[in-house]
């Protein structure tokens, strides 16, 4: 399935796979899609998540403590795909688990599981030749991050090699919640649009309806990560799907109100 | 501006690659800072004024050149090859780390950065960085794992006295690896104002090259000194390898001299099981950790393994990428030394020569003690004595029941 943002604004929902359990992540993902998420980003837990703030670090530790492995995440992707054939599905991982699994086998298995794309947080375009070849072989969309600090030349390359969407990092920093969206985000999205007609999703720190409404003014989609992972942390396996669904529905309310 | 060229083959030779190893595996936010650093370093390297200022500091502030000392009593006791010690332990702040801290500190100043962050394991890099920042008037924050803060407590106090803020890291194994992750998170967040003063020949390009260059002075001096004293090159150079900075500094000028054996000593810890040691070449496999592609101790799912060493400075799951290339090409040999053998070497050197080595450095001393007896008296071994053991008195008092 190509990645599409049918809703306005589009919503990408990040979940750490295996937190609190693989079954729960599946139910949360399905609930999130039914509540209006366009794309699910399934985070592969990693022992050393240096791009992540405390919320996702803790979720990764919990998922690893339960024994979550990359092959389990791929099996989970397959379940989500079977349950909701039309939703966008992206695997989000640090590079080392993918390298250890084998890039060829990983791309084969991710594609077979029904994933649409992959986002490798510590892989920049210059280092990505082999990865890009494997991704294109099985028609998976490589999604690269663009940062406020990226030069125009880099944005051009990022735009050129990304498929599905370009992920614009809202601010200089790691993942985590924040109070407000900085001017960095808008300026970055405008710069990215000079090089591509792909949708642009803005992520890192987007935590509430107000942020989503702000992002909707200049981008195609908002990525909600830590805010949802924190909600899952504060719920039980039984209550998390409902809590996440309510939260996601609430994210578009302010925008709907503004549109009227 | 020109587009970035994506190489057809990732092993294609580029700046920052050592064979297939090295590279730049970082979040996109850091790329601009790494480019800025690479550019600033390339300029500084060519700038005679920068080099002269650094040379002055190395001489009058740090105490270079360090002596090459013939360990006569140890040699006689072992009854084989002659053993020399390159006395990096005599440097200001107590270890080779000051070479790099001064070099990068000057660079930070040149780049106009006011805030410096660093990670530290044994605390030697932290103390060196804290000293350099005091000297250059820079704000300094050092990340250190909770386990290391406890076992290298003296260095924590030294850093604080020097005006540095030490931030404990309680995630993961609470050691060097976790301190690096936390420093990188700080850098990603404060990249516009902050200089990351990385302490070993690790991490994303240009760090492995730059840190090596700042420690190259060790092998430059060493070569001249051994030629003066012996009129020939040594049989072998032996150095401990944590991230690999003292070892690459001691090896570098000898890489073309193929008759000189280069021996790196990793931490064998408590034994060969994964999690009990930090012998990357024995128990690791190529992978990516903290910015670079090198050998990494990991499980079969690509999760980074826990490590153990009695020495905080060698207790790390990966190794500098240039060592990975030297290993694969066979130009350097890598062995390991367990905790108990390293502690024996501390005592041996202390009692035969009156020199108390850092436990890290004692791993290299132990390898010389192991191989010297079987070698002819005409052979010459040089041990890079990377640091002194004052910082280790707590551990030594406990382990040796002093
Ligand atoms: C005295 C000493 N030697 C060696 C090391 C290991 O580092 P490297 O391998 O970078 O020389 C350390 C690190 O803290 C150290 O303090």
């Amino acid at each position: 399935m190509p990645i599409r943002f049918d809703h306005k604004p589009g919503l990408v929902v990040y979940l750490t796979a295996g937190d609190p359990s693989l079954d729960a992540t599946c139910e949360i993902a399905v609930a999130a899609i039914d509540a209006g998420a366009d794309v699910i980003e399934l985070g592969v837990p990693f022992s050393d998540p240096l791009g992540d703030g405390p919320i996702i670090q803790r979720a990764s530790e919990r998922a690893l403590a339960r024994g979550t492995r990359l092959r389990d995440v791929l099996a989970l992707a397959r379940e989500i795909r079977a349950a909701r054939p039309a939703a966008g599905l992206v695997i989000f991982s640090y590079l080392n688990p993918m390298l250890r699994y084998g890039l060829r086998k990983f791309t084969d298995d991710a594609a077979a599981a029904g994933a649409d794309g992959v986002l490798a947080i510590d892989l920049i375009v210059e280092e990505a030749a082999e990865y890009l070849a494997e991704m294109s072989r099985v028609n998976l969309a490589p999604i690269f991050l663009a940062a406020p600090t990226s030069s125009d030349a880099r944005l051009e390359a990022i735009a050129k090699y990304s498929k599905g969407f370009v992920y614009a990092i809202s601010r200089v920093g790691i993942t985590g919640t924040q109070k407000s969206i900085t001017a960095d985000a808008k300026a970055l999205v405008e710069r990215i649009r000079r090089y591509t007609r792909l949708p642009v999703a803005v992520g890192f720190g987007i935590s509430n309806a107000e942020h989503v409404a702000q992002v909707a003014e200049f981008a195609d989609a908002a990525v909600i990560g830590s805010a949802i992972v924190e909600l899952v942390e504060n719920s039980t396996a039984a209550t998390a799907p409902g809590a996440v669904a309510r939260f996601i529905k609430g994210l578009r309310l302010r925008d709907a109100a503004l549109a009227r | 501006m020109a587009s970035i060229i994506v190489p057809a083959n990732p092993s294609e030779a580029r700046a920052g690659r050592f064979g297939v190893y090295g590279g730049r595996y970082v979040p996109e936010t850091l790329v601009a800072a790494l480019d800025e650093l690479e550019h600033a370093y390339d300029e500084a390297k060519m700038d005679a004024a920068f080099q002269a200022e650094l040379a002055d500091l190395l001489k009058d502030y740090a105490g270079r050149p360090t002596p090459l000392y013939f360990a006569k009593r140890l040699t006689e006791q072992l009854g084989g090859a002659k053993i020399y010690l390159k006395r990096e332990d005599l440097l200001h702040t107590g270890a080779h780390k000051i070479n790099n801290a001064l070099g990068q500190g000057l660079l930070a100043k040149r780049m106009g950065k006011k805030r410096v962050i660093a990670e530290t394991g044994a605390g030697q890099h932290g103390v060196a960085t804290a000293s350099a920042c005091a000297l250059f008037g820079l704000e300094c924050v050092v990340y250190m794992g909770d386990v290391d803060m406890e076992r290298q407590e003296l260095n924590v106090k030294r850093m604080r006295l020097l005006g540095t803020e030490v931030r404990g890291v309680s995630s993961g194994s609470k050691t060097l690896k976790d301190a690096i992750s936390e420093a990188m998170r700080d850098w990603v967040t404060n990249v516009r104002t902050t200089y990351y003063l990385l302490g070993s020949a690790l991490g994303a390009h240009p760090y492995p090259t730059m840190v090596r260059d700042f420690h190259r002075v060790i092998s430059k001096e060493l070569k001249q000194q051994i030629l003066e004293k012996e009129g020939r090159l040594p049989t072998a150079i032996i150095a401990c390898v944590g991230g690999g900075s003292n070892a690459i500094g001691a090896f570098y000028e000898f890489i073309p001299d193929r008759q000189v054996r280069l021996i790196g000593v990793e931490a064998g810890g408590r034994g060969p099981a994964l999690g009990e040691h930090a012998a990357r070449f024995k128990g690791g496999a190529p992978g990516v950790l903290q910015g670079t592609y090198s050998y990494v101790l990991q499980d079969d799912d690509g999760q980074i393994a826990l490590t153990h060493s009695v020495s905080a400075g060698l207790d790390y799951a990966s190794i500098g990428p240039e060592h990975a290339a030297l290993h694969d090409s066979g130009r350097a040999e890598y062995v390991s030394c367990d905790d108990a053998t390293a502690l024996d070497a501390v005592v041996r050197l202390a009692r035969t020569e009156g020199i108390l080595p850092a436990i890290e450095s004692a791993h290299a001393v132990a390898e010389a003690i192991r191989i010297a007896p079987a070698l002819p008296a005409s052979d010459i071994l040089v041990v890079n004595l990377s640091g002194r053991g004052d910082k280790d008195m707590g551990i030594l008092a406990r382990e040796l029941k002093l």
Side-chain angles (χ1 to χ4, degrees):
Chain A
M1 281 295 295
I3 293 169
R4 294 200 335 244
F5 295 101
D6 289 336
H7 304 86
K8 292 290 167 227
L11 284 180
V12 178
V13 168
Y14 170 92
L15 299 170
T16 298
D19 175 43
S21 69
L22 288 158
D23 286 346
T25 306
C26 186
E27 286 172 32
I28 297 165
V30 167
I33 294 163
D34 292 347
D38 302 276
V39 175
I40 297 293
E41 263 181 23
L42 266 188
V44 178
F46 184 51
S47 53
D48 297 83
L50 54 80
D52 285 300
I55 295 170
I56 293 178
Q57 285 178 50
R58 288 197 302 269
S60 303
E61 276 177 28
R62 288 191 299 268
L64 287 176
R66 290 187 65 101
T68 310
R69 306 191 52 173
L70 178 50
R71 62 168 186 235
D72 302 325
V73 180
L74 294 172
L76 170 62
R78 185 184 287 274
E79 273 183 66
I80 297 170
R81 170 53 72 231
R84 292 296 177 270
L89 191 54
V90 170
I91 309 288
F92 184 106
S93 183
Y94 287 82
L95 187 55
N96 202 55
M98 300 194 288
L99 288 180
R100 186 65 189 227
Y101 195 92
L103 276 185
R104 169 147 296 202
K105 185 166 183 295
F106 169 76
T107 46
D108 276 343
D109 292 358
D116 302 301
V118 177
L119 199 164
I121 181 170
D122 51 355
L123 184 65
I124 57 173
V125 282
E126 291 93 327
E127 305 287 4
E130 186 187 343
Y131 165 85
L132 284 169
E134 294 296 339
M135 293 285 286
S136 112
R137 187 178 56 81
V138 295
N139 252 326
L140 279 171
I143 296 155
F144 287 99
L145 295 163
T149 52
S150 304
S151 65
D152 287 347
R154 298 194 57 74
L155 292 183
E156 186 179 0
I158 288 163
K160 177 170 166 196
Y161 292 106
S162 293
K163 291 186 184 139
F165 62 96
V166 176
Y167 188 136
I169 302 174
S170 73
R171 51 135 191 249
V172 173
I174 53 177
T175 62
T177 53
Q178 69 188 5
K179 290 221 167 58
S180 60
I181 306 298
T182 65
D184 277 350
K186 183 170 186 218
L188 174 60
V189 172
E190 282 167 2
R191 287 167 62 219
I192 293 169
R193 293 215 197 273
R194 285 192 231 147
Y195 303 108
T196 183
R197 298 169 77 165
L198 283 176
V200 180
V202 173
F204 282 37
I206 315 290
S207 340
N208 57 38
E210 194 174 330
H211 295 165
V212 171
Q214 275 176 280
V215 165
E217 285 170 19
F218 54 86
D220 303 289
V223 188
I224 323 292
S226 297
I228 283 183
V229 174
E230 191 170 37
L231 192 58
V232 171
E233 179 175 49
N234 296 330
S235 308
T236 64
T239 60
V244 168
R246 275 192 300 282
F247 182 76
I248 290 172
K249 284 180 190 148
L251 287 175
R252 286 207 185 88
L253 286 183
R254 201 195 124 173
D255 199 58
L258 286 180
R260 272 200 299 272
Chain B
M1 249 191 273
S3 291
I4 287 156
I5 296 146
V6 176
N9 174 348
S11 64
E12 203 169 279
R14 289 204 314 281
R17 285 279 172 187
F18 307 93
V20 297
Y21 301 106
R24 226 179 230 187
Y25 297 91
V26 292
E28 173 66 24
T29 306
L30 290 182
V31 177
L34 290 166
D35 281 340
E36 181 194 4
L37 177 61
E38 181 179 6
H39 186 69
Y41 175 60
D42 283 346
E43 277 184 7
K45 201 162 54 178
M46 297 302 161
D47 178 355
F50 178 89
Q51 293 299 342
E53 191 175 357
L54 179 57
D56 272 353
L57 285 168
L58 288 175
K59 177 167 171 287
D60 294 337
Y61 182 78
R64 301 210 72 92
T66 58
L68 181 65
Y69 168 73
F70 173 45
K72 184 155 173 284
R73 280 187 28 101
L74 184 64
T75 300
E76 283 169 6
Q77 268 191 13
L78 294 169
K82 276 181 142 176
I83 298 176
Y84 280 88
L85 306 175
K86 178 64 173 159
R87 300 290 309 273
E88 296 296 294
D89 61 313
L90 292 178
L91 285 170
H92 176 49
T93 68
H96 69 290
K97 300 284 184 188
I98 192 74
N99 302 325
N100 171 55
L102 287 173
Q104 287 198 57
L106 266 188
L107 187 59
K109 206 174 82 170
R110 182 186 167 98
M111 291 170 74
K113 305 280 181 183
K114 301 268 183 279
R115 179 175 183 265
V116 167
I117 57 170
E119 81 299 331
T120 196
Q124 288 303 120
H125 173 60
V127 168
T129 303
S131 302
C133 288
L135 178 66
F136 300 135
L138 302 168
E139 179 193 342
C140 182
V141 173
V142 171
Y143 290 92
M144 189 169 188
D146 286 347
V147 167
D148 292 339
M149 281 181 75
E150 206 235 302
R151 59 179 163 170
Q152 307 275 249
E153 191 195 350
L154 185 66
N155 277 342
V156 175
K157 306 227 159 102
R158 287 171 79 192
M159 287 184 266
R160 288 186 178 142
L161 178 67
L162 288 158
T164 279
E165 181 192 341
V166 182
R167 292 191 187 162
V169 179
S170 60
S171 53
S173 54
K174 307 178 175 53
T175 57
L176 181 59
K177 165 173 79 71
D178 312 285
I180 294 178
S181 286
E182 209 49 41
M184 287 183 78
R185 292 185 186 112
D186 182 319
W187 201 31
V188 171
T189 307
N190 301 299
V191 62
R192 286 172 171 146
T193 58
T194 297
Y195 184 96
Y196 181 17
L197 209 161
L198 185 62
S200 192
L202 289 171
H205 178 64
Y207 284 105
T209 302
M210 177 171 70
V211 175
R212 178 251 281 153
D213 288 352
F214 286 134
H215 286 300
R216 240 174 112 166
V217 64
I218 303 171
S219 52
K220 277 192 184 146
E221 288 173 9
L222 174 51
K223 200 169 204 175
Q224 198 185 340
Q225 289 166 322
I226 198 75
L227 288 173
E228 274 165 21
K229 286 181 198 280
E230 294 281 348
R232 63 202 162 98
L233 296 178
T235 311
I237 296 168
I238 307 173
C240 66
V241 192
S245 67
N246 89 88
I248 200 69
F251 291 172
Y252 196 70
E253 296 294 323
F254 295 94
I255 291 173
D257 305 311
R258 302 202 67 93
Q259 72 276 27
V260 179
R261 288 172 63 192
L262 307 175
I263 304 174
V265 187
E266 300 184 276
R270 286 184 290 244
L274 193 65
E276 295 295 312
H277 64 86
R280 288 69 44 111
F281 290 128
K282 271 200 189 131
V288 164
L289 178 65
Q290 297 174 329
T292 193
Y293 183 63
S294 185
Y295 281 74
V296 180
L297 289 165
Q298 52 183 308
D299 69 14
D300 58 12
D301 212 33
Q303 304 295 341
I304 309 309
L306 296 179
T307 52
H308 164 79
S309 170
V310 66
S311 64
L314 306 186
D315 197 354
Y316 181 64
S318 185
I319 186 166
E322 194 160 11
H323 288 289
L326 290 171
H327 170 269
D328 283 14
S329 71
R331 178 62 193 94
E333 311 153 47
Y334 295 85
V335 296
S336 64
C337 161
D338 63 27
D339 286 353
T341 309
L343 291 170
D344 285 348
V346 171
V347 177
R348 181 93 180 242
L349 192 67
R351 296 191 181 165
T352 51
E353 298 287 349
I355 295 172
L356 172 57
I359 303 178
E360 288 79 10
S361 322
H363 286 70
V365 175
E367 180 62 9
I369 292 171
R370 192 181 74 82
I371 67 175
L375 296 173
S378 55
D379 276 10
I380 302 166
L381 301 180
V382 176
V383 174
N384 192 41
L385 205 68
S386 56
R388 56 179 177 251
D390 307 36
K391 71 181 176 66
D392 294 319
M393 280 316 302
I395 300 170
L396 293 170
R398 196 163 58 241
E399 296 285 335
L400 305 173
K401 310 204 168 29
L402 299 173

